[in-house]
């Protein structure tokens, strides 16, 4: 019997980027003053004011210059939500071409479990210790049965692309995702819950965990743009 690797976390790592607040400023100012990348009179406060203006007035195209590439490991159900954001490029691990590892997701002990209300207008509340233990037991049993079926098919010579049908969406996959700052802000606005946002979103917690890690990277690489995003209601320009 294969030993399952159980995780309750996600991985979001910076792989590559060419992001900067200066890139936003250059793109915006070329409309009025032409070439600006060698301008010795650039002023940090003035640049910040321009970025805030662009964000507030939703002049979005200057935020499309540059990109970052992230490496992500998460359950497949998270990827299906993430890949709905089409302002990005994706390459995901293929279960057609490689055997998936037995890495599966279990909710952390502090993960809310119980839905109260109707779809589209509900909240989640903590479960009891008994409910958490029940979730763990049921998921582990399902994962073990599914992965054993997957392995039996592979041993029998069944193609990976067929055998993978037995695997649940709680299994981990990996991908590279590349997006520009505007696309990233659109993703963050929809996949984080912030009561002070202009449009409050209520994402599933697991994809929010990914978004929080991605936002920390964004804030470090483009602090002025991130501050303007925050100050203007977390609305993508």
């Amino acid at each position: 019997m294969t030993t399952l690797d159980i995780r309750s976390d996600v991985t979001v790592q910076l792989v590559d980027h060419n992001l900067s607040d200066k890139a936003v400023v250059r793109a915006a100012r070329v409309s009025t003053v032409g070439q600006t990348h060698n301008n010795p009179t650039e002023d940090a406060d003035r640049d910040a004011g321009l970025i805030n203006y662009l964000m507030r007035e939703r002049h979005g195209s200057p935020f499309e210059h540059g990109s970052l590439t992230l490496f992500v490991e998460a359950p497949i159900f998270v990827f299906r939500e993430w890949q709905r954001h089409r302002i990005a490029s994706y390459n995901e691990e293929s279960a057609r071409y490689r055997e998936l590892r037995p890495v599966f997701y279990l909710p952390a002990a502090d993960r809310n479990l119980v839905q109260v209300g109707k779809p589209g207008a509900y909240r989640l509340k903590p479960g009891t210790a008994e409910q958490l233990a029940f979730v763990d037991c049921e998921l582990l049993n399902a994962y073990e049965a599914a992965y054993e079926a997957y392995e039996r098919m592979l041993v029998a010579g069944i193609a990976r692309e067929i055998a993978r049908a037995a695997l649940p969406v709680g299994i981990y996959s990996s991908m590279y995702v590349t997006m520009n700052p505007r696309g990233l802000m659109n993703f963050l606005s929809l996949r984080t819950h912030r009561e002070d946002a202009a449009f409050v979103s209520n994402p599933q917690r697991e994809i929010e965990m990914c978004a929080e890690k991605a936002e920390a990277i964004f804030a470090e690489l483009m602090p002025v743009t991130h501050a303007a995003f925050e100050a203007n209601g977390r609305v993508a320009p």
Side-chain angles (χ1 to χ4, degrees), residues 10-223:
V10 296
T11 298
V12 179
Q13 297 174 337
L14 178 65
V15 175
D16 196 11
H17 81 94
N18 62 343
L19 300 185
S20 71
D21 293 314
K22 285 293 184 184
V24 179
V25 172
R26 284 197 303 267
R29 287 189 177 146
V30 74
S31 300
T32 56
V33 300
Q35 185 182 35
T36 63
H37 64 271
N38 291 321
N39 186 350
T41 64
E42 291 173 338
D43 175 80
D45 290 339
R46 185 165 170 258
D47 288 354
L50 174 58
I51 289 173
N52 191 69
Y53 166 78
L54 296 170
M55 192 78 68
R56 184 182 70 242
E57 300 301 320
R58 303 196 71 188
H59 294 302
S61 60
F63 298 98
E64 295 178 5
H65 294 272
S67 66
L68 83 166
T69 298
L70 303 171
F71 173 72
V72 184
E73 287 181 327
I76 283 178
F77 68 81
V78 172
F79 282 19
R80 298 303 165 262
E81 290 198 349
W82 194 323
Q83 290 167 357
R84 294 180 64 192
H85 298 268
R86 293 175 293 279
I87 314 172
S89 297
Y90 302 96
N91 282 95
E92 184 183 348
E93 180 178 351
S94 175
R96 291 187 67 193
Y97 303 123
R98 62 161 295 172
E99 182 177 342
L100 292 188
R101 297 161 296 158
V103 184
F104 292 92
Y105 175 78
L106 283 184
D110 59 353
R111 208 288 192 197
N112 289 338
L113 297 177
V114 179
Q115 179 176 318
V116 179
K118 299 179 180 179
Y122 67 84
R123 60 185 177 85
L124 293 171
K125 67 178 185 179
T128 64
E130 290 76 16
Q131 286 173 318
L132 180 63
F134 178 69
V135 168
D136 287 353
C137 180
E138 292 294 317
L139 286 179
L140 285 171
N141 287 340
Y143 292 158
E144 288 174 354
Y147 201 81
E148 287 173 7
Y150 174 65
E151 287 189 309
R152 286 196 299 270
M153 283 189 278
L154 294 180
V155 169
I158 305 302
R160 294 185 184 96
E161 64 187 60
I162 298 299
R164 66 176 173 173
L167 296 173
V169 294
I171 196 169
Y172 275 67
S173 186
S174 62
M175 71 173 176
Y176 290 100
V177 54
T178 299
M179 61 182 74
N180 66 39
R182 191 181 190 184
L184 177 57
M185 285 185 281
N186 176 69
F187 172 73
L188 296 177
S189 71
L190 295 169
R191 298 301 185 177
T192 56
H193 176 82
R194 287 282 296 273
E195 292 292 342
D196 59 343
F199 303 97
V200 179
S201 184
N202 294 286
Q204 184 165 336
R205 178 57 190 152
E206 287 75 13
I207 196 168
E208 186 179 34
M209 290 160 57
C210 291
E212 289 169 349
K213 290 178 179 289
E215 183 160 0
I217 294 169
F218 172 49
E220 181 176 351
L221 297 176
M222 299 182 72

Side-chain angles (χ1 to χ4, degrees), residues 219-234:
E220 181 176 351
L221 297 176
M222 299 182 72
V224 178
T225 298
H226 180 261
F229 175 61
E230 288 269 43
N232 289 279
R234 297 178 63 83

